[in-house]
Amino acid sequence: MEPEREGTERHPRKVRESRQAPNKLVGAAEAMKAGWDLEESQPEAKKARLSTILFTDNCEVTHDQLCELLKYAVLGKSNVPKPSWCQLFHQNHLNNVVVFVLQGMSQLHFYRFYLEFGCLRKAFRHKFRLPPPSSDFLADVVGLQTEQRAGDLPKTMEGPLPSNAKAAINLQDDPIIQKYGSKKVGLTRCLLTKEEMRTFHFPLQGFPDCENFLLTKCNGSIADNSPLFGLDCEMCLTSKGRELTRISLVAEGGCCVMDELVKPENKILDYLTSFSGITKKILNPVTTKLKDVQRQLKALLPPDAVLVGHSLDLDLRALKMIHPYVIDTSLLYVREQGRRFKLKFLAKVILGKDIQCPDRLGHDATEDARTILELARYFLKHGPKKIAELNLEALANHQEIQAAGQEPKNTAEVLQHPNTSVLECLDSVGQKLLFLTRETDAGELPSSRNCQTIKCLSNKEADLKLLASSNLPTSAFQSAGITGVLEQARVEIPLFPFSIVQFSFKAFSPVLTEEMNKRMRIKWTEISTVYAGPFSKNCNLRALKRLFKSFGPVQSMTFVLETRQPHLCIQYEVLEAAQLAIESLDGILVDGICIKVQRPVTELTLDCDTLVNELEGDSENQGSIYLSGVSETFKEQLLQEPRLFLGLEAVILPKDLKSGKQKKYCFLKFKSFGSAQQALNILTGKDWKLKGRHALTPRHLHAWLRGLPPESTRLPGLRVVPPPFEQEALQTLKLDHPKIAAWRWSRKIGKLYNSLCPGTLCLILLPGTKSTHGSLSGLGLMGIKEEEESAGPGLCS
């Protein structure tokens, strides 16, 4: 059983935000990972640094994964596992960790005002998407459990649960009763709906991050007597994230029908033995692969099979399989505030069973699968009312408080626990966390012996006057107290090894947010579109199509006949293809006619030349190149010539969402701009004959743009009228217009970044937003001070 997800449940991503680019990290990245240990042992490397590429699925980093990195940055590899999504070299040479949290901001805000956020995007090479925030983003990021969020806990609470616990509960308030009612329910009522599966991140057919997943082919009609199968998987940590090492499947009678060890495809970094029970010695002789268990599972399950698991979405993702009929006991036994009960707790309280015993090495997957199945059958047999009468919430809270009051046997036991918070890690080495925020901000961390909270008031009257004079929603960027926080941060941050600095911005109105979303979709469609012509009326249309497709994937290509001579309108899937077509074809002769290749001219594309230049100069794109015309064997050919492509760190090969076939373009990531330029010269030369240029879209941006739902493209020249308040702000050039405000605060935070001491790991987190009108995913920026030339002094001066 994987470490269970507890605490406040992260708010689900909307469908629009979960559709991501099908980029696949392959090839050279594996070679890089293989050389990590050797690289870390080199004595001349004395500076902490981050790996060039982030190993994340579709460029999204969860709040738990952020916590992984922060704990590792504090303690190093001798005490906690390495983060699964990035590599931090020479952690012991880190001097400080600083996290800036821009509450109320999202990825949409960053790219809507991309040009204005110049200081931040140039300073940080690593950018990644964040899921929409939970109700307590800060607590999630530092790994606080729910009972730790309200403040200090009493040190002891001895004795049994009060005898009147059952009488004190109002059954109608129990979340199980609220969801299922008090009467017994059938099996079909317990199944997760498709919407619930989407909400809780189950793999679903047609989703971009599931394009390589197999269907179980269970598509029969479901009834209350359909067969149940308990499923549990164990995973290890590899260079590509978590991969399957064991699967157990138990039928309704309790018989184990499948129990297989599985050899992961990629290099194993951590066997997670304390959870999985799997060791190197156990896995060495295993030859079974993922495809073997996929085939076996498909053969075993009848058409109307119902899979039952605990956090089953993790198991199905490890199996890379899609199954339509599921019961998840961590959701079946509903808990307050989106939290989940541990399987061990439910087994003890509901079934009277002791599982996952501490004297045993890891979990027993078959035992867990059998327990999960018994819990589902108990629910069906006794009904929601019986379970609500047990008052599970009170029992769990009492158990957790008792556990919190017990002194740990040794520090190592606490640090190895997956729910250990950053605060506990700091406490174990005698250090404190600094938390700086405004006095009026709602989100905060509980003050305790290992967290120093300082609340600031602004001492800049100019800020307050600006706020008082503005009644526009775009005053989101002008939060009182930010100047005070910045000044206090310059003084306090050098005194603490770990600091969190929070700025809060008022959310945009739903109307403006939706308008921004629409305009972003239209803008990226338009700057990825080119018009070419004029052409001869007798032109070879097939040859023209072949010519324009040679620059990259085409979304659509249409003939424009409104002009005296024919023109072509080509909409590309990626911005690089459109730019490459313009640079290569504008002004050439076709059938004796000089053609012009250009973008449509609208109010949203007027600054596209500036935008393209800035995207090319984005620190994340430094060292990345785009290539078109690659074959299916391109990766193999590339790796056969390692001396020609020094510094190659990753090959990103997008795939078609429907067919799963590799597309005819790719991105290459190099350690330096010089290595990338040299490779580009070779690959576009006479021997390779590819078309290419330096990359413009970072991986996380490409994923986000591909994930936006289709928007009907407006006709070129059709005017998008900005909201009246934005028009007014533009006309009067008020300082609180968001473009100007974004520029101002980017410079302020950039200057603070420049004042940090060398060797500081710095993260800037835009948590995203969540409201009744919808969710916006967040964005993270990350770097180590003086890790890169662009992060040197004077960047934002």
Side-chain angles (χ1 to χ4, degrees):
M1 175 70 68
E2 275 286 280
E4 294 178 38
R5 300 177 297 186
E6 289 207 273
T8 301
E9 181 68 26
R10 294 189 297 273
H11 283 286
R13 297 186 295 260
K14 298 292 181 185
V15 179
R16 176 180 66 214
E17 296 159 342
S18 64
R19 298 197 174 195
Q20 302 160 335
N23 288 346
K24 195 78 173 176
L25 194 62
V26 292
E30 298 171 3
M32 181 189 74
K33 294 281 280 186
W36 278 350
D37 294 335
L38 176 64
E39 196 168 359
E40 260 194 275
S41 64
Q42 293 175 350
E44 65 273 16
K46 296 295 184 183
K47 293 184 178 180
R49 64 181 183 85
L50 291 160
S51 55
T52 303
I53 195 79
L54 301 183
F55 293 87
T56 59
D57 291 336
N58 297 302
C59 317
E60 181 168 281
V61 175
T62 67
H63 303 155
D64 290 340
Q65 288 174 319
L66 275 178
C67 187
E68 279 179 14
L69 172 64
L70 296 179
K71 289 193 290 187
Y72 183 76
V74 171
L75 293 174
K77 63 182 178 182
S78 60
N79 292 304
V80 293
K82 292 181 179 180
S84 60
W85 58 282
C86 66
Q87 184 73 358
L88 174 58
F89 297 107
H90 314 298
Q91 173 273 341
N92 57 322
H93 291 285
L94 275 182
N95 292 319
N96 297 83
V97 179
V98 180
V99 180
F100 296 101
V101 179
L102 279 58
Q103 294 282 10
M105 301 287 285
S106 70
Q107 185 167 224
L108 174 64
H109 295 90
F110 185 83
Y111 282 105
R112 173 64 179 84
F113 306 112
Y114 179 81
L115 296 178
E116 286 68 39
F117 277 113
C119 290
L120 300 186
R121 58 183 166 78
K122 290 176 181 177
F124 297 93
R125 183 172 188 178
H126 301 286
K127 303 180 186 72
F128 47 87
R129 187 165 67 173
L130 295 170
S134 68
S135 57
D136 200 338
F137 175 79
L138 282 174
D140 283 348
V141 169
V142 298
L144 288 179
Q145 301 302 298
T146 302
E147 67 274 5
Q148 297 172 297
R149 301 182 184 199
D152 291 332
L153 295 171
K155 288 297 178 187
T156 59
M157 182 173 174
E158 305 289 344
L161 189 68
S163 59
N164 64 344
K166 292 182 182 178
I169 187 173
N170 180 354
L171 291 183
Q172 297 307 313
D173 293 335
D174 191 284
I176 292 179
I177 298 295
Q178 290 178 354
K179 180 172 182 178
Y180 297 102
S182 56
K183 295 181 180 180
K184 292 183 180 181
V185 295
L187 181 152
T188 54
R189 177 68 177 84
C190 298
L191 295 175
L192 291 182
T193 65
K194 189 170 183 179
E195 183 61 34
E196 286 174 323
M197 292 176 73
R198 182 184 295 116
T199 295
F200 295 105
H201 317 312
F202 278 73
L204 292 171
Q205 188 175 9
F207 273 45
D209 59 341
C210 304
E211 68 267 14
N212 294 323
F213 285 36
L214 297 181
L215 298 171
T216 58
K217 300 298 184 184
C218 295
N219 51 12
S221 58
I222 294 294
D224 286 341
N225 61 351
S226 292
L228 300 176
F229 291 84
L231 175 69
D232 187 64
C233 294
E234 303 296 346
M235 283 74 110
C236 68
L237 187 63
T238 74
S239 59
K240 294 294 182 65
R242 298 187 186 273
E243 289 190 52
L244 184 72
T245 53
R246 183 181 176 186
I247 173 176
S248 290
L249 188 71
V250 176
E252 267 195 272
C255 176
C256 181
V257 295
M258 184 178 181
D259 188 15
E260 293 283 349
L261 293 171
V262 184
K263 179 69 70 71
E265 295 288 343
N266 299 290
K267 180 184 177 183
I268 297 175
L269 305 178
D270 190 341
Y271 285 84
L272 303 177
T273 306
S274 59
F275 299 105
S276 67
I278 305 296
T279 63
K280 182 177 181 180
K281 184 177 180 181
I282 292 173
L283 214 54
N284 264 345
V286 175
T287 58
T288 303
K289 296 289 188 178
L290 177 62
K291 62 182 179 181
D292 300 319
V293 297
Q294 288 175 332
R295 185 166 52 247
Q296 190 176 345
L297 191 61
K298 287 175 68 174
L300 277 172
L301 294 176
D304 60 342
V306 176
L307 289 181
V308 187
H310 198 82
S311 294
L312 184 58
D313 56 310
L314 301 178
D315 297 322
L316 289 173
R317 286 190 176 275
L319 284 165
K320 293 190 176 180
M321 297 191 77
I322 296 171
H323 187 78
Y325 313 125
V326 297
I327 295 174
D328 193 323
T329 50
S330 71
L331 301 171
L332 184 68
Y333 288 84
V334 190
R335 194 173 184 185
E336 293 177 359
Q337 299 176 347
R339 300 180 66 201
R340 303 192 189 191
F341 293 111
K342 288 184 177 181
L343 179 61
K344 180 181 175 72
F345 169 80
L346 291 175
K348 182 66 175 177
V349 174
I350 303 293
L351 306 175
K353 293 175 59 174
D354 287 309
I355 64 169
Q356 302 174 357
C357 299
D359 57 345
R360 200 184 290 166
L361 182 64
H363 300 174
D364 184 336
T366 302
E367 180 186 61
D368 288 353
R370 191 173 285 120
T371 301
I372 290 164
L373 196 56
E374 290 177 32
L375 286 170
R377 291 181 62 80
Y378 185 96
F379 191 99
L380 293 170
K381 181 179 179 180
H382 295 284
K385 184 178 179 182
K386 173 77 172 178
I387 294 159
E389 288 172 349
L390 295 173
N391 201 353
L392 296 178
E393 189 67 35
L395 288 168
N397 289 337
H398 181 69
Q399 185 185 83
E400 290 165 359
I401 291 174
Q402 277 191 316
Q406 297 172 0
E407 290 296 322
K409 294 180 181 178
N410 57 66
T411 303
E413 287 183 11
V414 175
L415 297 181
Q416 290 297 331
H417 195 277
N419 291 331
T420 301
S421 69
V422 173
L423 291 176
E424 290 168 317
C425 291
L426 286 166
D427 190 48
S428 71
V429 291
Q431 296 178 342
K432 268 190 173 185
L433 180 147
L434 169 67
F435 179 57
L436 273 170
T437 186
R438 281 195 320 167
E439 191 172 61
T440 55
D441 284 347
E444 61 179 81
L445 295 172
S447 291
S448 64
R449 63 178 182 174
N450 51 4
C451 179
Q452 175 72 46
T453 299
I454 299 177
K455 295 191 173 184
C456 309
L457 282 174
S458 174
N459 56 3
K460 295 286 186 180
E461 291 185 5
D463 284 351
L464 298 175
K465 287 179 180 178
L466 279 173
L467 285 164
S469 66
S470 171
N471 59 0
L472 301 180
T474 51
S475 63
F477 292 95
Q478 304 289 336
S479 296
I482 290 182
T483 302
V485 173
L486 286 166
E487 291 183 352
Q488 192 75 33
R490 288 191 182 95
V491 176
E492 300 289 347
I493 283 177
L495 306 179
F496 290 82
F498 193 110
S499 306
I500 296 178
V501 183
Q502 175 177 264
F503 308 110
S504 292
F505 305 97
K506 292 181 181 178
F508 282 128
S509 70
V511 173
L512 179 56
T513 300
E514 183 57 30
E515 181 69 21
M516 286 170 59
N517 239 329
K518 288 180 180 178
R519 297 180 77 185
M520 280 293 293
R521 290 196 290 268
I522 295 172
K523 179 167 185 166
W524 282 94
T525 298
E526 289 185 347
I527 64 175
S528 300
T529 299
V530 299
Y531 280 80
F535 297 104
S536 164
K537 294 180 180 179
N538 299 319
C539 64
N540 186 334
L541 183 58
R542 181 176 297 180
L544 285 177
K545 287 184 176 181
R546 188 164 55 247
L547 172 64
F548 282 97
K549 285 182 178 180
S550 68
F551 297 103
V554 172
Q555 190 78 31
S556 66
M557 190 182 301
T558 55
F559 238 148
V560 179
L561 301 175
E562 299 296 324
T563 52
R564 182 170 178 269
Q565 289 179 281
H567 287 66
L568 275 178
C569 174
I570 306 100
Q571 182 185 333
Y572 287 99
E573 288 183 20
V574 292
L575 178 60
E576 287 85 354
Q579 187 65 22
L580 193 54
I582 293 171
E583 293 167 348
S584 304
L585 300 181
D586 187 35
I588 70 166
L589 291 175
V590 176
D591 295 333
I593 301 176
C594 181
I595 67 167
K596 188 166 186 62
V597 181
Q598 60 186 345
R599 290 185 175 89
V601 179
T602 72
E603 70 277 12
L604 296 182
T605 62
L606 287 174
D607 65 350
C608 67
D609 289 340
T610 303
L611 178 61
V612 166
N613 289 334
E614 292 297 320
L615 282 167
E616 190 168 339
D618 191 300
S619 59
E620 188 168 1
N621 289 329
Q622 295 293 304
S624 295
I625 62 174
Y626 163 83
L627 295 169
S628 179
V630 301
S631 65
E632 292 183 359
T633 60
F634 173 72
K635 182 187 72 173
E636 288 72 20
Q637 295 171 355
L638 196 70
L639 298 180
Q640 288 173 3
E641 302 283 355
R643 294 182 180 179
L644 291 179
F645 306 107
L646 298 176
L648 177 63
E649 296 218 326
V651 183
I652 301 167
L653 299 166
K655 290 187 177 181
D656 185 89
L657 297 181
K658 294 180 180 179
S659 67
K661 292 182 178 180
Q662 177 184 317
K663 292 195 173 184
K664 295 183 179 181
Y665 70 96
C666 74
F667 293 88
L668 303 184
K669 189 86 172 177
F670 291 85
K671 283 186 178 179
S672 67
F673 178 84
S675 297
Q677 182 62 58
Q678 183 178 355
L680 184 61
N681 293 339
I682 294 171
L683 291 165
T684 56
K686 61 180 181 179
D687 293 331
W688 291 76
K689 298 179 181 178
L690 300 176
K691 291 183 170 66
R693 72 175 324 279
H694 289 283
L696 298 173
T697 46
R699 289 182 66 216
H700 72 276
L701 175 59
H702 192 229
W704 180 52
L705 293 174
R706 288 291 299 271
L708 291 173
E711 181 80 8
S712 56
T713 307
R714 64 190 175 113
L715 295 174
L718 180 63
R719 192 158 179 268
V720 174
V721 181
F725 49 78
E726 189 166 343
Q727 281 187 321
E728 181 183 347
L730 282 166
Q731 291 166 1
T732 59
L733 295 178
K734 288 185 177 180
L735 287 178
D736 50 9
H737 186 268
K739 281 180 175 291
I740 299 172
W743 175 79
R744 289 178 62 218
W745 292 117
S746 173
R747 288 176 60 83
K748 285 178 181 288
I749 297 172
K751 286 182 179 180
L752 178 55
Y753 171 76
N754 284 331
S755 71
L756 300 176
C757 68
T760 297
L761 172 64
C762 184
L763 288 89
I764 296 190
L765 305 179
L766 287 64
T769 61
K770 184 171 178 62
S771 69
T772 55
H773 301 279
S775 300
L776 295 176
S777 56
L779 182 71
L781 299 89
M782 177 173 68
I784 295 176
K785 179 67 188 304
E786 291 191 1
E787 178 192 19
E788 332 216 14
E789 291 182 9
S790 61
L795 176 67
C796 295
S797 58

